[in-house]
Amino acid sequence: MIRYRSLVAIVSVVLLLGGCGSSSKKSSTTTVASGSKANPPTSAGDNTSGGNSVQIKGFAFKPSALKVSAGTKVTWTNSDPADHTTTADKSDPAAFDSGHLGKGKTFSFTFAKKGTYKYFCNIHNYMTGTVEVS
């Protein structure tokens, strides 16, 4: 009976982790202008935002809250082995969605409009962050 329970526990963990793995979707390396519905991810070497960076690490956005001025480009970098997204909340002043970001991939968005932008990972909805634009 103990072996059966151990086997069930192992299979459950494998199935759970399998859903967090990378996707077969390919990431684009083109940056789209601000204000578009989707800004495709860029390569990891294209992080030109300086201090306006957000790391996706440990299934969290770090920092989870960022304050920037209008016109600022923010870049998210996925450091996790699992795919993540950076997706704007429907109530945000402008829409953005990175699509699936694999490990080492980045996504940039220029915040042209003032306001508070709440975003999340569309794969792991408990991962949330905020960008306040003044």
Side-chain angles (χ1 to χ4, degrees), residues 14-90:
V14 169
L15 290 174
L16 179 65
L17 292 176
C20 293
S22 65
S23 168
S24 61
K25 294 181 182 180
K26 302 251 178 183
S27 294
S28 171
T29 58
T30 305
T31 300
V32 176
S34 168
S36 66
K37 181 129 181 140
N39 282 342
T42 58
S43 67
D46 191 31
N47 185 351
T48 58
S49 65
N52 300 314
S53 299
V54 177
Q55 291 293 315
I56 304 171
K57 189 172 185 178
F59 288 80
F61 295 107
K62 298 177 183 183
S64 62
L66 192 63
K67 292 183 180 185
V68 300
S69 299
T72 300
K73 177 180 172 183
V74 175
T75 300
W76 289 262
T77 302
N78 183 8
S79 299
D80 277 342
D83 283 9
H84 294 292
T85 74
T86 300
T87 306
D89 189 75
K90 291 179 182 179

Coordinates of all heavy atoms in Angstrom, one line a residue, residues 14-90:
V14 N 5.2 14.6 -11.4 CA 5.6 14.6 -12.7 C 4.6 15.3 -13.6 O 4.9 16.1 -14.5 CB 5.9 13.2 -13.3 CG1 6.2 13.2 -14.8 CG2 7.2 12.7 -12.5
L15 N 3.3 15.0 -13.5 CA 2.3 15.6 -14.3 C 2.2 17.1 -14.0 O 2.0 17.9 -14.9 CB 0.9 14.9 -14.0 CG 0.8 13.5 -14.6 CD1 -0.5 12.9 -14.1 CD2 0.9 13.5 -16.1
L16 N 2.3 17.5 -12.7 CA 2.2 18.9 -12.3 C 3.4 19.7 -13.0 O 3.2 20.7 -13.5 CB 2.2 19.0 -10.8 CG 2.2 20.5 -10.3 CD1 0.9 21.1 -10.6 CD2 2.4 20.5 -8.8
L17 N 4.6 19.1 -12.9 CA 5.8 19.8 -13.4 C 5.7 19.8 -14.9 O 6.2 20.8 -15.6 CB 7.1 19.2 -12.9 CG 7.3 19.4 -11.4 CD1 8.6 18.6 -11.0 CD2 7.5 20.8 -11.1
G18 N 5.2 18.8 -15.5 CA 5.1 18.8 -17.0 C 4.3 19.9 -17.5 O 4.5 20.5 -18.6
G19 N 3.3 20.4 -16.8 CA 2.5 21.6 -17.2 C 3.2 22.9 -17.1 O 2.8 23.9 -17.7
C20 N 4.3 22.9 -16.4 CA 5.1 24.1 -16.2 C 6.3 24.2 -17.2 O 7.0 25.2 -17.2 CB 5.6 24.2 -14.8 SG 4.3 24.4 -13.6
G21 N 6.5 23.2 -18.0 CA 7.6 23.2 -18.9 C 7.5 24.1 -20.0 O 6.5 24.8 -20.2
S22 N 8.5 24.1 -20.9 CA 8.5 25.0 -22.0 C 7.5 24.6 -23.1 O 7.1 23.4 -23.2 CB 9.9 25.1 -22.6 OG 10.2 23.9 -23.2
S23 N 7.0 25.5 -23.8 CA 6.0 25.3 -24.9 C 6.8 25.1 -26.2 O 7.9 25.5 -26.4 CB 5.1 26.5 -25.0 OG 4.4 26.5 -26.1
S24 N 6.1 24.5 -27.2 CA 6.7 24.3 -28.5 C 6.5 25.6 -29.3 O 7.1 25.7 -30.4 CB 6.0 23.2 -29.2 OG 4.6 23.5 -29.4
K25 N 5.9 26.6 -28.8 CA 5.7 27.9 -29.5 C 7.1 28.6 -29.5 O 7.8 28.7 -28.6 CB 4.7 28.8 -28.8 CG 3.3 28.3 -28.8 CD 2.4 29.3 -28.2 CE 1.0 28.7 -28.2 NZ 0.1 29.7 -27.5
K26 N 7.4 29.1 -30.7 CA 8.7 29.8 -30.9 C 8.5 31.3 -30.5 O 7.4 31.9 -30.7 CB 9.1 29.7 -32.3 CG 9.3 28.3 -32.8 CD 10.7 28.0 -32.9 CE 10.8 26.5 -33.3 NZ 12.1 26.0 -33.5
S27 N 9.5 32.0 -30.0 CA 9.4 33.4 -29.7 C 10.0 34.2 -30.8 O 11.0 33.8 -31.4 CB 10.3 33.7 -28.4 OG 9.7 33.0 -27.3
S28 N 9.4 35.3 -31.1 CA 9.9 36.2 -32.1 C 11.0 37.1 -31.6 O 11.1 37.2 -30.4 CB 8.7 37.1 -32.5 OG 9.2 38.1 -33.4
T29 N 11.8 37.6 -32.4 CA 12.9 38.5 -32.0 C 12.6 40.0 -32.5 O 13.5 40.7 -32.6 CB 14.2 38.0 -32.5 OG1 14.2 37.9 -33.9 CG2 14.6 36.7 -31.9
T30 N 11.4 40.3 -32.8 CA 11.1 41.6 -33.3 C 10.4 42.4 -32.2 O 9.6 41.9 -31.5 CB 10.1 41.5 -34.5 OG1 10.7 40.7 -35.5 CG2 9.8 42.9 -35.1
T31 N 10.8 43.7 -32.1 CA 10.1 44.6 -31.1 C 9.1 45.4 -31.9 O 9.4 46.0 -32.9 CB 11.1 45.5 -30.4 OG1 12.1 44.6 -29.7 CG2 10.4 46.4 -29.4
V32 N 7.8 45.4 -31.3 CA 6.8 46.2 -31.9 C 6.6 47.5 -31.1 O 6.8 47.5 -30.0 CB 5.4 45.4 -31.9 CG1 4.3 46.2 -32.4 CG2 5.6 44.1 -32.7
A33 N 6.2 48.6 -31.8 CA 6.1 49.9 -31.2 C 5.1 49.8 -30.0 O 4.1 49.0 -30.0 CB 5.6 50.9 -32.2
S34 N 5.3 50.7 -29.1 CA 4.4 50.8 -27.9 C 3.0 51.1 -28.3 O 2.7 51.8 -29.3 CB 4.9 52.0 -27.0 OG 3.9 52.3 -26.1
G35 N 2.1 50.6 -27.5 CA 0.7 50.9 -27.7 C 0.0 49.8 -28.6 O -1.2 49.7 -28.7
S36 N 0.7 48.9 -29.1 CA 0.1 47.8 -29.9 C -0.3 46.7 -28.9 O 0.1 46.7 -27.8 CB 1.1 47.2 -30.9 OG 2.2 46.6 -30.2
K37 N -1.3 45.9 -29.4 CA -1.9 44.9 -28.5 C -0.8 43.9 -28.1 O -0.8 43.5 -26.9 CB -3.0 44.2 -29.2 CG -3.6 43.1 -28.4 CD -5.1 43.3 -28.3 CE -5.7 42.3 -27.4 NZ -6.7 42.7 -26.6
A38 N 0.1 43.5 -28.9 CA 1.1 42.5 -28.6 C 2.5 43.1 -29.0 O 2.7 43.5 -30.1 CB 0.9 41.2 -29.3
N39 N 3.4 43.1 -28.0 CA 4.8 43.3 -28.3 C 5.5 42.0 -28.2 O 5.7 41.5 -27.1 CB 5.4 44.3 -27.3 CG 5.0 45.7 -27.5 OD1 4.6 46.1 -28.6 ND2 5.1 46.6 -26.5
P40 N 6.0 41.5 -29.3 CA 6.6 40.2 -29.2 C 7.9 40.2 -28.4 O 8.5 41.2 -28.2 CB 7.0 39.8 -30.7 CG 6.1 40.7 -31.5 CD 5.9 41.9 -30.7
P41 N 8.3 39.1 -27.8 CA 9.5 39.0 -27.0 C 10.8 39.2 -27.9 O 10.7 39.0 -29.1 CB 9.5 37.6 -26.5 CG 8.6 36.8 -27.4 CD 7.6 37.8 -27.9
T42 N 11.8 39.7 -27.2 CA 13.1 39.9 -27.9 C 14.1 39.0 -27.3 O 13.8 38.3 -26.3 CB 13.6 41.4 -27.7 OG1 13.7 41.6 -26.4 CG2 12.6 42.3 -28.4
S43 N 15.3 38.9 -27.9 CA 16.3 38.0 -27.4 C 16.9 38.5 -26.1 O 16.7 39.7 -25.7 CB 17.4 37.9 -28.4 OG 18.1 39.1 -28.5
A44 N 17.5 37.7 -25.3 CA 18.0 38.0 -24.0 C 19.0 39.1 -24.0 O 19.2 39.9 -23.1 CB 18.6 36.8 -23.3
G45 N 19.8 39.3 -25.1 CA 20.8 40.3 -25.2 C 20.3 41.7 -25.6 O 21.0 42.6 -25.7
D46 N 19.0 41.8 -25.8 CA 18.4 43.1 -26.2 C 17.8 43.9 -25.0 O 17.0 44.7 -25.2 CB 17.3 42.8 -27.2 CG 16.8 44.1 -27.9 OD1 17.6 45.0 -28.1 OD2 15.6 44.1 -28.3
N47 N 18.3 43.6 -23.8 CA 17.8 44.3 -22.6 C 18.5 45.7 -22.5 O 19.6 45.8 -22.0 CB 18.1 43.5 -21.4 CG 17.4 44.1 -20.2 OD1 17.0 45.2 -20.2 ND2 17.5 43.4 -19.1
T48 N 17.8 46.7 -23.1 CA 18.4 48.1 -23.1 C 17.7 49.0 -22.2 O 17.8 50.2 -22.3 CB 18.3 48.6 -24.5 OG1 17.0 48.6 -25.0 CG2 19.1 47.8 -25.5
S49 N 16.9 48.5 -21.2 CA 16.1 49.4 -20.4 C 16.8 49.8 -19.2 O 16.3 50.6 -18.4 CB 14.8 48.6 -20.0 OG 15.1 47.5 -19.2
G50 N 18.1 49.4 -19.0 CA 18.8 49.9 -17.8 C 18.2 49.5 -16.5 O 18.0 48.3 -16.3
G51 N 17.8 50.4 -15.6 CA 17.3 50.2 -14.3 C 15.8 49.9 -14.4 O 15.2 49.7 -13.3
N52 N 15.2 49.8 -15.5 CA 13.8 49.5 -15.7 C 13.5 48.1 -16.1 O 12.8 47.8 -17.0 CB 13.1 50.5 -16.6 CG 13.3 52.0 -16.2 OD1 13.1 52.3 -15.0 ND2 13.8 52.8 -17.0
S53 N 14.1 47.2 -15.3 CA 14.0 45.8 -15.7 C 13.3 45.0 -14.6 O 13.3 45.4 -13.4 CB 15.4 45.2 -15.8 OG 16.2 45.8 -16.8
V54 N 12.6 44.0 -15.1 CA 11.9 43.1 -14.2 C 12.3 41.7 -14.5 O 12.3 41.3 -15.6 CB 10.3 43.2 -14.4 CG1 9.6 42.2 -13.4 CG2 9.8 44.6 -14.1
Q55 N 12.8 41.0 -13.4 CA 13.2 39.6 -13.6 C 12.0 38.7 -13.3 O 11.3 39.0 -12.3 CB 14.4 39.3 -12.6 CG 15.7 40.0 -12.9 CD 16.3 39.4 -14.2 OE1 16.3 38.2 -14.5 NE2 16.7 40.4 -15.1
I56 N 11.9 37.7 -14.1 CA 10.9 36.6 -13.8 C 11.7 35.5 -13.2 O 12.4 34.8 -14.0 CB 10.1 36.2 -15.0 CG1 9.4 37.4 -15.7 CG2 9.1 35.2 -14.7 CD1 8.8 37.2 -17.0
K57 N 11.6 35.3 -11.9 CA 12.5 34.3 -11.2 C 11.8 33.8 -10.0 O 11.1 34.5 -9.3 CB 13.8 35.0 -10.8 CG 14.8 34.1 -10.3 CD 16.1 34.9 -10.1 CE 17.2 33.9 -9.7 NZ 18.5 34.6 -9.5
G58 N 11.9 32.5 -9.9 CA 11.2 31.8 -8.7 C 9.7 32.0 -8.8 O 9.0 32.1 -7.8
F59 N 9.2 32.0 -10.1 CA 7.7 32.1 -10.3 C 7.2 33.4 -9.7 O 6.1 33.4 -9.1 CB 7.0 30.8 -9.8 CG 7.2 29.6 -10.7 CD1 8.4 28.9 -10.6 CD2 6.3 29.3 -11.7 CE1 8.6 27.8 -11.5 CE2 6.5 28.2 -12.6 CZ 7.7 27.5 -12.5
A60 N 7.9 34.5 -9.9 CA 7.5 35.8 -9.4 C 8.1 36.9 -10.2 O 9.2 36.6 -10.9 CB 7.9 36.0 -7.9
F61 N 7.5 38.0 -10.3 CA 8.0 39.2 -11.0 C 8.8 40.0 -9.9 O 8.3 40.3 -8.8 CB 6.9 40.1 -11.5 CG 6.2 39.4 -12.6 CD1 4.9 39.0 -12.4 CD2 6.7 39.2 -13.9 CE1 4.1 38.4 -13.4 CE2 6.0 38.6 -14.9 CZ 4.7 38.2 -14.7
K62 N 10.1 40.3 -10.2 CA 11.0 41.0 -9.2 C 11.6 42.2 -9.9 O 12.4 42.0 -10.8 CB 12.0 40.0 -8.7 CG 11.4 38.8 -7.9 CD 12.4 37.9 -7.5 CE 11.8 36.7 -6.8 NZ 12.7 35.7 -6.3
P63 N 11.3 43.4 -9.5 CA 10.4 43.7 -8.4 C 8.9 43.6 -8.9 O 8.6 43.6 -10.1 CB 10.7 45.2 -8.1 CG 11.1 45.8 -9.5 CD 11.9 44.6 -10.1
S64 N 8.0 43.4 -7.9 CA 6.6 43.2 -8.3 C 5.9 44.5 -8.5 O 4.9 44.6 -9.2 CB 5.9 42.4 -7.2 OG 5.9 43.2 -6.0
A65 N 6.5 45.6 -8.1 CA 6.0 47.0 -8.3 C 7.1 47.9 -8.8 O 8.2 47.9 -8.3 CB 5.4 47.6 -7.0
L66 N 6.8 48.6 -9.9 CA 7.8 49.5 -10.5 C 7.2 50.8 -10.8 O 6.0 50.9 -11.2 CB 8.3 48.8 -11.8 CG 9.5 49.4 -12.5 CD1 10.7 49.2 -11.6 CD2 9.7 48.6 -13.8
K67 N 7.9 52.0 -10.5 CA 7.4 53.3 -10.8 C 8.3 53.9 -11.9 O 9.5 53.9 -11.8 CB 7.4 54.2 -9.6 CG 6.4 53.8 -8.6 CD 6.4 54.7 -7.4 CE 5.4 54.3 -6.3 NZ 5.2 55.2 -5.2
V68 N 7.7 54.4 -13.0 CA 8.4 54.9 -14.1 C 7.7 56.2 -14.6 O 6.5 56.4 -14.3 CB 8.6 53.9 -15.3 CG1 9.4 52.7 -14.8 CG2 7.3 53.5 -15.9
S69 N 8.4 57.0 -15.5 CA 7.8 58.1 -16.1 C 7.2 57.7 -17.5 O 7.7 56.7 -18.1 CB 8.9 59.2 -16.4 OG 9.4 59.6 -15.1
A70 N 6.3 58.4 -18.0 CA 5.7 58.1 -19.3 C 6.8 58.2 -20.3 O 7.7 59.0 -20.3 CB 4.6 59.2 -19.6
G71 N 6.7 57.2 -21.3 CA 7.8 57.1 -22.3 C 8.9 56.2 -22.0 O 9.8 56.0 -22.7
T72 N 8.8 55.5 -20.8 CA 9.9 54.6 -20.3 C 9.6 53.2 -20.9 O 8.5 52.7 -20.8 CB 9.9 54.6 -18.8 OG1 10.2 55.9 -18.3 CG2 11.0 53.6 -18.3
K73 N 10.7 52.6 -21.3 CA 10.7 51.2 -21.8 C 11.1 50.3 -20.6 O 12.1 50.5 -20.0 CB 11.7 51.1 -22.9 CG 11.8 49.6 -23.5 CD 12.9 49.6 -24.6 CE 13.2 48.2 -25.0 NZ 14.3 48.2 -26.0
V74 N 10.2 49.3 -20.4 CA 10.5 48.3 -19.3 C 10.7 47.0 -20.0 O 10.0 46.6 -20.9 CB 9.3 48.3 -18.3 CG1 9.5 47.2 -17.3 CG2 9.1 49.6 -17.6
T75 N 11.7 46.3 -19.5 CA 12.0 44.9 -20.1 C 11.9 43.9 -19.0 O 12.5 44.0 -17.9 CB 13.4 44.9 -20.7 OG1 13.5 45.9 -21.7 CG2 13.8 43.6 -21.3
W76 N 11.2 42.8 -19.3 CA 11.0 41.6 -18.5 C 11.9 40.5 -19.0 O 12.0 40.3 -20.2 CB 9.6 41.1 -18.4 CG 8.6 42.0 -17.7 CD1 8.2 41.8 -16.4 CD2 7.9 43.1 -18.3 NE1 7.3 42.8 -16.2 CE2 7.1 43.6 -17.3 CE3 8.0 43.8 -19.5 CZ2 6.3 44.7 -17.4 CZ3 7.1 44.9 -19.7 CH2 6.3 45.4 -18.7
T77 N 12.7 39.8 -18.1 CA 13.5 38.7 -18.5 C 13.1 37.5 -17.8 O 13.1 37.5 -16.5 CB 15.0 39.1 -18.3 OG1 15.4 40.3 -18.9 CG2 15.9 37.9 -18.7
N78 N 12.9 36.4 -18.5 CA 12.5 35.2 -17.9 C 13.7 34.4 -17.5 O 14.5 33.9 -18.3 CB 11.6 34.3 -18.8 CG 11.1 33.0 -18.1 OD1 11.4 32.8 -16.9 ND2 10.5 32.2 -18.9
S79 N 14.0 34.2 -16.2 CA 15.1 33.5 -15.7 C 14.7 32.1 -15.2 O 15.5 31.3 -14.7 CB 15.8 34.2 -14.5 OG 16.3 35.5 -15.0
D80 N 13.4 31.8 -15.3 CA 12.9 30.5 -14.8 C 13.0 29.4 -16.0 O 13.0 29.8 -17.1 CB 11.4 30.6 -14.4 CG 11.2 31.1 -13.0 OD1 12.2 31.0 -12.2 OD2 10.1 31.5 -12.7
P81 N 13.1 28.2 -15.6 CA 13.1 27.1 -16.6 C 11.7 27.0 -17.3 O 11.6 26.4 -18.4 CB 13.5 25.9 -15.9 CG 13.1 26.1 -14.5 CD 13.2 27.6 -14.3
A82 N 10.7 27.4 -16.7 CA 9.3 27.3 -17.3 C 9.0 28.5 -18.1 O 9.5 29.6 -17.8 CB 8.3 27.1 -16.1
D83 N 8.1 28.4 -19.0 CA 7.6 29.5 -19.8 C 6.7 30.4 -18.9 O 6.0 29.9 -18.0 CB 6.7 29.1 -21.0 CG 7.5 28.6 -22.1 OD1 8.8 28.4 -22.0 OD2 6.9 28.3 -23.2
H84 N 6.7 31.7 -19.2 CA 5.8 32.7 -18.5 C 5.3 33.7 -19.6 O 5.8 33.7 -20.7 CB 6.6 33.4 -17.4 CG 7.0 32.6 -16.3 ND1 6.1 32.0 -15.4 CD2 8.2 32.2 -15.9 CE1 6.8 31.3 -14.5 NE2 8.1 31.4 -14.8
T85 N 4.3 34.5 -19.2 CA 3.9 35.6 -20.0 C 3.9 36.8 -19.1 O 3.9 36.8 -17.9 CB 2.5 35.4 -20.6 OG1 1.5 35.6 -19.5 CG2 2.3 34.1 -21.3
T86 N 3.9 38.0 -19.8 CA 3.7 39.3 -19.2 C 2.4 39.8 -19.9 O 2.5 40.2 -21.0 CB 4.9 40.2 -19.3 OG1 6.0 39.6 -18.7 CG2 4.6 41.5 -18.7
T87 N 1.3 39.8 -19.2 CA 0.0 40.1 -19.8 C -0.7 41.2 -19.1 O -0.9 41.1 -17.9 CB -0.9 38.9 -19.9 OG1 -0.2 37.8 -20.5 CG2 -2.2 39.1 -20.6
A88 N -1.1 42.3 -19.8 CA -1.8 43.4 -19.2 C -3.2 43.0 -18.7 O -3.8 42.2 -19.4 CB -1.9 44.6 -20.2
D89 N -3.6 43.6 -17.6 CA -4.9 43.5 -17.1 C -5.9 44.2 -18.1 O -5.5 45.2 -18.7 CB -5.0 44.0 -15.7 CG -6.4 43.7 -15.1 OD1 -6.5 42.6 -14.6 OD2 -7.2 44.7 -15.0
K90 N -7.1 43.7 -18.2 CA -8.1 44.3 -19.2 C -8.4 45.8 -18.8 O -8.8 46.5 -19.7 CB -9.3 43.5 -19.2 CG -9.1 42.2 -19.9 CD -10.4 41.3 -19.9 CE -10.2 40.0 -20.5 NZ -11.3 39.1 -20.5

